[in-house]
Amino acid sequence: MTDLPGRRPPPIPETPLTFRQRLDNMRHLGRLIAQIWRTSRSLTAASIGLRLVAAFQPIAVLYTAKLIVDEVVRLTALPAPGPTILDWWNAGALNTVLGFLLIELALVLANDVINRATGLVDSILSELHSNTVSVELMAHAAKLDLMHFESAEYQDRLERARRQAAGRNQLLSQLFGQAQDMITVVTLAAGLVIYAPWLVLLLPLSFIPSIWGETRFNTLNYMLSRWRTPERRELEYLRHVGASAETAKEVKLFGLGDYLIGRFKKLAHGIYVDNRRVAIARASWGSLFAAISSLAYYLAYGYIVWRTITGEFTLGDLAFLSGSFLRLNGLFQKILLGFTQIAGQSLYLDDLFSFFEIEPSVLPPASPKAFPTPIQRGIVFENVGFQYPETEYWVVRNLNFTLAAGETLALVGENGAGKTTIVKLLTRLYDPTEGRITIDGIDLRDMSPTDIHQHIGVIFQDFIRYSFSARDNIGVGRIEARTDQARIEQAAEQSLADGVIAKLPQQYDQQLGRLFKKGRDLSGGEWQKVAIARAYMRDADLVILDEPTAALDAKAEAEVFARFKNLATNTTAVIISHRFSTVRMADRILVLEKGAILEAGSHEELLALNGRYAELFELQAAGYR
């Protein structure tokens, strides 16, 4: 995790982004709009239509108000038809002004209805869009290579993309709102130009300083957010460790609560200080720019008042022009600030869409060959070497061995010897850096990864404990057969998980884990039997068990492997284990050291060799004496 002492926030950039760079960042807006349209064409069209109608409402209300004021001034200059309103009404003097008032009332009421309808449409569209982006994010992540998930840099990019998937929905309303405001500006500016064209020249004085400030601080906010991604991931990790069922026992027993809280507070405070610094600077400069804007407005307002005093404008013109200038000033600022904010948010959109541009490197060939089923001859590693991406260390090198069809092969070696890497290569989660792996003479790279995975059953020591029902926990082993109850029960019987499930109150319908209400947790060994059932559920041509019985006691382990040997007579299998009671059941054993094969043979042959395997076996056996 990250150590903070001495780490300072990045400075305000001396060189702002160029206009071309901002345009490049805003290219993602087109992708966003296309994504919105895909989400719901009808809702998108409704939002646009409602805003189009609303765009003409301000000019209509202002002009109606001008007509009302002018009519009131006209009426005040006429002799009164009588002392009461009824006299004015009977004389017909109030007909015109009443008509204008009703028109203004209708415009105001219609505007309220339109705004509420727009808000409703946008909220529904926003939620649908959030779901769409999340689904697309999950779908793309599922296509990527294992190496991406094992990279800290990728995890940072994924975290930023997740945040943007959930945090950019306000941009939908902002984009459509910008278009609405621009139409309104055109209508208001047309009226202003007719009466006093030079007043438009005052508008830049009111909004240019604010635009500069917003652009500057949007860029800085993005820099801080991006720079702090590792720390934010660490905050989420600390939240999880400090308050989850999985870690509760150890946190309590080791008394880690205060330590985790202290570490969280220190990390969160560092992020808070950065954000506070930017917020204070933004508020200070914003106050100055707001004062400049107000000064520009009152200069224009004073001019309009003077023209009204001299008789060049009517009182209705005064109300219309002052209202138009005030709205134009606000709208110009809102539009241009909106553009800078959209440009700033487009930086965040780059985090989202650049994630979609990550391409997997383990790809199916143009004309993939079918996985040979059943396996007839076996699997061959030919001079296989592998380096993890962006490293120079060879995890395995010059690896040559054959796994015959129907053979059970055990891999033995200390941690870091390359056992799990061999599994990753064999399942084509990675491709070899050099050499090749073949199944019945067909190179794995000539097969589709999806096809390979469908014919291989793998259970890792760190298997997932799904917070699903017992049925679904087993059914995920062959997801297309998850509703086949007979197959699920057979897999459970083969892995000895049927005894575990029989004790559950709702048996196969029982929710497992403590994450959800009425969930029932299992012991480590019970979870492991359920996980092993997934491998049987798969009915695979090749079964790989990576430390499959680590949580089982010796008796349960013996039962599981005796069952496995009986049921897997014609199944090709690879077993990784540190327990020699498990390893000795294999037909052949490979002893690995530093990515190379040190010894190979059956249990009896390796003991007779009196080499490394015999040494390790004796050390473990001595622990039971």
Side-chain angles (χ1 to χ4, degrees):
M1 291 192 288
T2 308
D3 291 325
L4 292 177
R7 193 173 189 195
R8 300 301 306 150
I12 294 176
E14 294 297 330
T15 305
L17 294 177
T18 65
F19 181 71
R20 178 57 183 271
Q21 287 173 319
R22 293 189 181 280
L23 285 180
D24 287 343
N25 283 324
M26 293 184 72
R27 75 188 189 278
H28 295 305
L29 293 176
R31 296 177 68 176
L32 177 66
I33 292 171
Q35 206 175 50
I36 296 167
W37 183 252
R38 287 199 311 272
T39 298
S40 174
R41 295 183 179 186
S42 59
L43 287 174
T44 304
S47 181
I48 294 171
L50 288 167
R51 282 189 161 84
L52 190 62
V53 174
F56 291 94
Q57 193 267 351
I59 185 71
V61 170
L62 284 171
Y63 195 75
T64 303
K66 163 195 156 42
L67 296 175
I68 291 172
V69 171
D70 284 343
E71 179 64 12
V72 168
V73 171
R74 186 187 71 82
L75 290 175
T76 58
L78 297 176
T84 67
I85 190 172
L86 189 60
D87 296 324
W88 285 77
W89 176 264
N90 291 331
L94 299 180
N95 291 347
T96 301
V97 72
L98 183 60
F100 290 151
L101 286 170
L102 290 175
I103 290 172
E104 187 175 50
L105 175 62
L107 288 170
V108 171
L109 293 176
N111 184 60
D112 180 65
V113 171
I114 290 171
N115 286 339
R116 291 179 184 278
T118 303
L120 175 62
V121 169
D122 284 358
S123 66
I124 296 172
L125 182 59
S126 178
E127 184 169 354
L128 284 175
H129 177 251
S130 178
N131 293 340
T132 298
V133 175
S134 296
V135 168
E136 291 181 358
L137 194 69
M138 292 169 66
H140 188 71
K143 296 177 183 177
L144 297 180
D145 301 333
L146 181 62
M147 73 174 183
H148 294 115
F149 293 91
E150 295 182 340
S151 162
E153 179 183 356
Y154 167 84
Q155 291 297 325
D156 287 345
R157 295 182 70 175
L158 178 58
E159 174 64 21
R160 288 195 294 268
R162 282 172 176 161
R163 287 209 310 270
Q164 304 326 316
R168 295 299 118 198
N169 287 327
Q170 69 272 20
L171 194 55
L172 307 185
S173 298
Q174 195 168 10
L175 279 171
F176 293 151
Q178 285 287 93
Q180 175 184 331
D181 290 341
M182 289 173 68
I183 296 172
T184 302
V185 162
V186 170
T187 60
L188 291 174
L192 197 62
V193 168
I194 291 172
Y195 284 94
W198 76 271
L199 288 180
V200 179
L201 300 178
L202 279 176
L203 290 173
L205 179 62
S206 67
F207 62 72
I208 285 178
S210 296
I211 302 305
W212 177 87
E214 285 297 312
T215 302
R216 193 76 164 163
F217 288 111
N218 281 337
T219 302
L220 181 57
N221 273 333
Y222 172 73
M223 289 178 62
L224 284 173
S225 176
R226 187 179 183 89
W227 184 73
R228 284 294 196 181
T229 298
E231 285 89 343
R232 290 188 182 279
R233 280 205 301 121
E234 185 175 338
L235 278 180
E236 292 305 315
Y237 173 74
L238 290 171
R239 282 193 185 100
H240 173 75
V241 172
S244 74
E246 301 163 23
T247 60
K249 293 191 295 292
E250 192 158 313
V251 168
K252 287 182 176 297
L253 291 173
F254 290 173
L256 300 180
D258 290 342
Y259 166 75
L260 293 172
I261 291 170
R263 184 158 187 156
F264 181 93
K265 289 171 67 175
K266 181 178 180 181
L267 195 62
H269 181 72
I271 296 173
Y272 159 75
V273 168
D274 290 344
N275 291 336
R276 183 184 62 185
R277 181 175 65 95
V278 176
I280 291 174
R282 189 171 202 157
S284 301
W285 284 102
S287 298
L288 175 62
F289 298 149
I292 294 173
S293 175
S294 298
L295 177 63
Y297 168 71
Y298 276 98
L299 284 173
Y301 190 39
Y303 173 76
I304 295 169
V305 169
W306 168 249
R307 294 283 297 272
T308 304
I309 292 172
T310 60
E312 296 179 63
F313 292 157
T314 67
L315 288 176
D317 294 337
L318 171 65
F320 175 73
L321 290 174
S322 60
S324 294
F325 189 87
L326 182 60
R327 284 205 175 225
L328 271 174
N329 180 44
L331 283 173
F332 264 116
Q333 287 198 53
K334 183 180 177 184
I335 289 172
L336 293 176
L337 289 177
F339 275 128
T340 62
Q341 290 168 358
I342 289 173
Q345 290 191 47
S346 70
L347 296 172
Y348 295 93
L349 284 177
D350 185 67
D351 289 335
L352 176 62
F353 288 116
S354 65
F355 174 79
F356 287 119
E357 293 168 1
I358 300 173
E359 294 292 339
S361 59
V362 180
L363 298 170
S367 300
K369 296 179 180 178
F371 188 98
T373 180
I375 299 173
Q376 298 290 340
R377 300 196 302 275
I379 301 167
V380 179
F381 276 59
E382 299 178 12
N383 295 315
V384 171
F386 180 73
Q387 292 174 310
Y388 281 100
E390 301 179 359
T391 67
E392 297 180 357
Y393 171 71
W394 290 93
V395 184
V396 296
R397 192 79 187 274
N398 300 321
L399 199 61
N400 293 277
F401 68 88
T402 298
L403 171 58
E407 181 182 26
T408 298
L409 179 71
L411 303 180
V412 175
E414 296 179 355
N415 292 334
K419 303 185 297 297
T420 299
T421 298
I422 290 174
V423 172
K424 293 176 182 177
L425 294 173
L426 187 53
T427 53
R428 212 185 164 207
L429 294 174
Y430 286 95
D431 283 331
T433 308
E434 60 183 24
R436 69 177 193 151
I437 304 169
T438 64
I439 300 181
D440 284 357
I442 304 173
D443 195 319
L444 284 181
R445 281 173 287 209
D446 292 332
M447 304 181 204
S448 165
T450 302
D451 188 31
I452 294 171
H453 299 160
Q454 286 178 344
H455 290 87
I456 297 178
V458 185
I459 295 298
F460 292 101
Q461 181 179 357
D462 54 348
F463 59 86
I464 299 178
R465 304 182 181 196
Y466 295 100
S467 290
F468 298 159
S469 67
R471 176 184 294 103
D472 287 343
N473 258 281
I474 297 173
V476 294
R478 176 68 73 178
I479 196 65
E480 63 272 19
R482 67 186 183 280
T483 58
D484 188 340
Q485 183 65 23
R487 185 168 182 166
I488 289 172
E489 290 181 5
Q490 182 183 20
E493 189 272 331
Q494 290 170 338
S495 71
L496 302 179
D498 57 338
V500 175
I501 296 171
K503 298 175 184 177
L504 299 173
Q506 299 179 51
Q507 299 191 355
Y508 284 94
D509 292 322
Q510 179 65 53
Q511 177 82 33
L512 299 185
R514 293 291 188 186
L515 187 59
F516 300 113
K517 189 176 181 180
K518 296 183 180 179
R520 177 68 64 91
D521 207 2
L522 305 178
S523 69
E526 289 172 332
W527 270 114
Q528 204 141 27
K529 289 178 181 178
V530 171
I532 293 171
R534 294 173 199 156
Y536 286 113
M537 181 74 183
R538 203 152 186 78
D539 192 21
D541 298 281
L542 172 63
V543 176
I544 301 173
L545 304 177
D546 187 352
E547 291 288 351
T549 58
L552 299 178
D553 58 40
K555 181 182 178 182
E557 178 193 49
E559 291 176 348
V560 166
F561 272 96
R563 182 70 59 90
F564 176 76
K565 287 293 289 182
N566 290 334
L567 294 170
T569 305
N570 298 315
T571 302
T572 307
V574 175
I575 297 173
I576 298 176
S577 180
H578 288 92
R579 290 186 181 180
F580 285 88
S581 56
T582 298
V583 170
R584 67 188 302 169
M585 297 183 188
D587 300 316
R588 194 158 50 96
I589 302 164
L590 298 184
V591 182
L592 300 171
E593 186 171 277
K594 296 180 180 178
I597 298 174
L598 185 64
E599 298 170 358
S602 67
H603 174 72
E604 291 75 15
E605 290 170 345
L606 292 176
L607 286 181
L609 188 62
N610 200 28
R612 181 64 172 158
Y613 179 85
E615 177 187 351
L616 293 173
F617 179 80
E618 180 59 30
L619 284 171
Q620 192 169 110
Y624 290 96
R625 296 190 183 116

